[in-house]
Amino acid sequence: MEMGIAQLSMSMTQSRVAESAGIAVMKIAMDAGKENASQMTEMMKNAAVDPSRGNYIDARV
């Protein structure tokens, strides 16, 4: 089965469009992931920490 030049051109163009769309969606997802990581890091920095926590262990034998 032979494919005409016009059909081949259309097929290649559709393939490029689909690839470009996939890359754009991936970039958006990566940016959102970076933003979430940044917010989580900032939240952890601002969390109140009790300096005496973890200094003592209650153990019974």
Side-chain angles (χ1 to χ4, degrees):
M1 182 186 293
E2 291 185 29
M3 186 181 280
I5 293 176
Q7 290 174 326
L8 180 61
S9 177
M10 285 177 53
S11 177
M12 290 174 63
T13 300
Q14 287 175 346
S15 182
R16 275 189 242 137
V17 168
E19 183 179 348
S20 295
I23 290 171
V25 169
M26 188 182 312
K27 285 181 180 180
I28 291 169
M30 289 173 60
D31 289 344
K34 286 180 186 178
E35 181 65 28
N36 287 341
S38 212
Q39 288 175 353
M40 187 175 291
T41 302
E42 191 64 31
M43 184 178 68
M44 290 174 68
K45 285 180 185 177
N46 294 332
V49 178
D50 184 2
S52 65
R53 186 158 283 208
N55 290 335
Y56 303 101
I57 299 175
D58 294 333
R60 295 182 186 173
V61 180

